[in-house]
Amino acid sequence: MFNRTSLQAAAALASISLLSACSVFSDGESAGDQRIVVGTTSSPSTLDPAAAWDNSWELFRNVFQTLVAFPTGTTSPKPDAADCKFKEGSSSRVFECVLHDGLTFSNGHKLDAKAVQYSIERIRKIDVDGGPNGMLGSLDKVEAIDDRTVVFRLNKSDATFPFILATPAMSIVDPAEYPADQLRKDGKLVGSGPYVLDSYTEGQKAELTRNPSYKGFADRKNGGVTIRYFKESEPMVAALRKKEIDATYRGLTAEEVVALQADTPENKGLQLVESTGADIRYLVFNARDASVARLPVRKAIAQLVDRDELVNKVYQGTAEPLYSMVPKGISGHTTKFYDRFGSPDAAKAKAILRDAGITEPVKLDFWYTTDRYGSSTAAEFKELKRQLESSGLFQVTLHGKPWKDFQAGYQKGLYPVFGRGWFPDFPDPDNFVAPFIGEENVLGTPYVSPKITKELIPKSRRESDRGAVTDAFVQAQEIMVQDVRLLPLWQGKLYIAASDDIGGGERALDPQTVMQMWELSRRTSW
């Protein structure tokens, strides 16, 4: 029988599954002896943390340590390699970390404060285009005070800095193994995390075994993990059904999720763990383009888009409507766009345009990338086109380009309306607002809002209690709704498909939606 688990039941299931897992092994067997094979369509772009601000984080989280991290069930940084805190009276500008005693890299070399300083300074020195140095804008300098103490001095108040240090981009590397001024290129990897990378074949496979010298929070429930990389999801699902892999993560299409949910013979012995994702999709309006420069045009589009129909028709329930840039599950989430515009209404949209003196159908060009967010993107934009044109108020021409060309185009301000996705660096509302606002932002489309950039965000970054910044981001989102420069569409759901003898899937994803492989275990019998 096919099993479907939602993360809402995870708290109860976690305790039950772990207890049952402990009781079902044969004599001489334990969870720690079992090896797990995980399939994914998301292969690393690099093995060097200094170059990665992408899905390479999946591998890094499992073989490197960071100073702080997100253990299962947490949404704020907790100790990993160190105990850290902002210095009292520093206004969130001096962050001190004291390393745990006796830390070593998997090669036996000592992990000390100088190694941490080296790792961070190396990111800044190499400064890879599009790399993680872009996350360190608030860092002035890092100092190794003694063997175990590291101090980060910031050039401005930034209470989100611990969240940045918790990303796998800030993995601690061995100075003896990683050049100070260039990327490591020998295809090897040395860290101090839960696993050791025994072997790696680009685009095919990574073999991980338990790191015997590891000292950290991860409670490893298996003896090792093999990660198999697939170019397409179809052969990955076929491998799961044939028991060639134990679980899948990243890459399942909406159609495959729906097919896996069916109670059919080919799904016998499989389970699907569902959780709410933090990745979002949205439209960007370039107000410097005449076609969408007028606010009533953007408001009319916001009044027409039917998110429910979009996610049901295109994504078959594997996504959910989103009415603010901050998604569900993150503090500060609102439904501001629904509160302002309500349900889709062509009559209201027509009135918005007519009141602005716009009586002829507005001609628009919508752009999207053909190869970054999945095969459903083209269908999504066809549906948006249908919705807008069915009102008689718009004429939409669609344009699709491969990511490299698409990215170059929007960064030059060539597109009046284009679709983007966002995979958060860390689970804080700041990461869903700050990157998109300002003269220079990640979208290449200036969006100037002094209230947000000069008051709300700086004020929130002085507050180390992140639960206390909700009001600031609610205000920011109200401004964003008034401006309609960004139109949130939907947020994704995450799915782990696995054999039903695999436990821990409901605990494997951290708040960055990175898979913590150590949570997976094999039950040898029921």
Side-chain angles (χ1 to χ4, degrees):
M1 179 69 180
F2 177 82
N3 296 302
R4 186 169 183 269
T5 303
S6 71
L7 202 59
Q8 283 72 21
L13 285 173
S15 59
I16 294 172
S17 63
L18 292 176
L19 287 170
S20 63
C22 292
S23 65
V24 295
F25 291 111
S26 303
D27 291 342
E29 291 184 314
S30 70
D33 296 330
Q34 304 298 310
R35 190 169 189 85
I36 308 295
V37 183
V38 178
T40 179
T41 61
S42 182
S43 61
S45 64
T46 176
L47 295 186
D48 194 323
W53 196 352
D54 59 18
N55 51 19
S56 303
W57 287 9
E58 209 82 57
L59 184 60
F60 297 167
R61 174 56 75 209
N62 290 279
V63 295
F64 289 106
Q65 278 184 293
T66 46
L67 292 170
V68 289
F70 296 101
T72 298
T74 64
T75 55
S76 60
K78 304 297 181 184
D80 187 0
D83 291 300
C84 302
K85 65 180 180 180
F86 279 108
K87 297 282 284 185
E88 289 187 19
S90 71
S91 299
S92 299
R93 293 187 63 168
V94 180
F95 193 66
E96 181 180 85
C97 295
V98 179
L99 290 168
H100 297 156
D101 191 29
L103 295 178
T104 63
F105 292 101
S106 59
N107 59 8
H109 294 175
K110 186 177 182 180
L111 193 166
D112 57 14
K114 288 184 179 179
V116 175
Q117 180 184 27
Y118 182 91
S119 299
I120 303 301
E121 290 182 341
R122 180 173 179 268
I123 293 172
R124 305 182 81 186
K125 190 170 188 176
I126 297 175
D127 192 18
V128 172
D129 186 27
N133 190 34
M135 303 174 69
L136 295 172
S138 64
L139 178 62
D140 181 21
K141 59 181 177 180
V142 53
E143 301 171 337
I145 303 302
D146 56 37
D147 203 39
R148 291 175 54 196
T149 307
V150 185
V151 171
F152 298 88
R153 301 191 185 277
L154 310 184
N155 53 39
K156 55 187 175 183
S157 297
D158 186 2
T160 70
F161 190 71
F163 290 81
I164 294 169
L165 288 180
T167 67
M170 303 300 146
S171 295
I172 306 168
V173 301
D174 181 0
E177 295 273 358
Y178 291 81
D181 56 358
Q182 61 182 322
L183 298 176
R184 183 173 184 172
K185 300 176 181 178
D186 62 359
K188 297 181 180 179
L189 185 158
V190 174
S192 59
Y195 297 99
V196 174
L197 180 65
D198 281 342
S199 65
Y200 177 76
T201 304
E202 185 175 357
Q204 296 183 37
K205 185 168 64 173
E207 295 282 1
L208 310 180
T209 56
R210 291 174 66 140
N211 177 4
S213 63
Y214 170 67
K215 293 183 178 181
F217 67 87
D219 179 13
R220 293 163 295 185
K221 298 178 175 66
N222 55 64
V225 178
T226 298
I227 306 174
R228 285 186 55 188
Y229 300 112
F230 293 83
K231 291 183 179 180
E232 303 291 340
S233 59
E234 185 176 348
M236 180 175 70
V237 174
L240 176 68
R241 286 180 168 137
K242 290 187 288 186
K243 306 296 183 180
E244 295 173 353
I245 62 176
D246 300 306
T248 72
Y249 177 57
R250 292 201 192 277
L252 293 176
T253 66
E255 292 78 11
E256 286 165 342
V257 170
V258 171
L260 283 165
Q261 290 173 337
D263 187 8
T264 60
E266 63 181 355
N267 289 337
K268 185 178 181 180
L270 299 181
Q271 60 175 314
L272 195 68
V273 178
E274 174 191 305
S275 64
T276 299
D279 60 307
I280 66 173
R281 298 295 185 276
Y282 56 97
L283 292 179
V284 182
F285 297 102
N286 181 0
R288 292 184 175 178
D289 189 281
S291 65
V292 289
R294 302 180 68 179
L295 179 57
V297 172
R298 305 196 299 270
K299 284 186 173 181
I301 295 172
Q303 185 64 70
L304 287 171
V305 170
D306 189 331
R307 295 168 176 81
D308 286 311
E309 191 165 18
L310 179 68
V311 299
N312 289 331
K313 182 179 292 186
V314 178
Y315 293 100
Q316 302 181 55
T318 62
E320 55 186 315
L322 181 63
Y323 295 94
S324 75
M325 289 299 289
V326 178
K328 184 187 298 183
I330 302 294
S331 62
H333 168 70
T334 71
T335 55
K336 289 291 185 180
F337 271 91
Y338 186 84
D339 300 341
R340 175 60 60 91
F341 295 100
S343 300
D345 193 315
K348 289 182 179 179
K350 183 176 181 179
I352 291 171
L353 294 175
R354 294 300 181 267
D355 289 347
I358 301 172
T359 57
E360 297 295 323
V362 179
K363 295 182 179 180
L364 296 174
D365 289 280
F366 274 35
W367 293 76
Y368 64 92
T369 177
T370 57
D371 60 355
R372 186 171 178 84
Y373 303 127
S375 58
S376 298
T377 305
E380 175 181 337
F381 274 76
K382 288 179 181 177
E383 173 60 17
L384 289 170
K385 171 184 169 72
R386 187 199 66 76
Q387 290 183 12
L388 296 180
E389 290 188 338
S390 65
S391 69
L393 303 175
F394 293 94
Q395 293 177 2
V396 179
T397 301
L398 301 179
H399 307 271
K401 278 183 174 291
W403 172 250
K404 185 177 181 179
D405 296 332
F406 174 78
Q407 185 180 38
Y410 76 69
Q411 288 178 342
K412 293 177 182 177
L414 300 181
Y415 309 150
V417 186
F418 58 96
R420 279 296 312 271
W422 184 250
F423 299 86
D425 302 316
F426 50 85
D428 188 272
D430 185 283
N431 199 233
F432 292 91
V433 175
F436 312 119
I437 312 294
E439 187 66 36
E440 294 183 3
N441 59 51
V442 299
L443 301 171
T445 303
Y447 175 12
V448 178
S449 177
K451 174 74 172 179
I452 297 177
T453 58
K454 295 183 179 181
E455 180 181 335
L456 295 175
I457 289 177
K459 180 181 178 181
S460 74
R461 288 181 175 177
R462 291 192 291 270
E463 181 56 71
S464 58
D465 178 5
R466 301 310 291 165
V469 303
T470 297
D471 288 347
F473 287 102
V474 170
Q475 290 181 58
Q477 290 176 86
E478 179 61 40
I479 294 170
M480 296 167 80
V481 171
Q482 294 170 9
D483 295 340
V484 198
R485 291 291 308 278
L486 304 166
L487 185 65
L489 297 173
W490 55 268
Q491 73 180 92
K493 296 179 182 179
L494 296 174
Y495 295 91
I496 295 175
S499 297
D500 58 12
D501 65 339
I502 298 297
E506 70 281 354
R507 295 176 52 84
L509 303 181
D510 74 5
Q512 297 160 308
T513 67
V514 171
M515 180 174 271
Q516 301 175 136
M517 301 292 182
W518 57 83
E519 292 287 358
L520 301 177
S521 63
R522 186 188 307 281
R523 295 184 284 263
T524 57
S525 69
W526 289 97

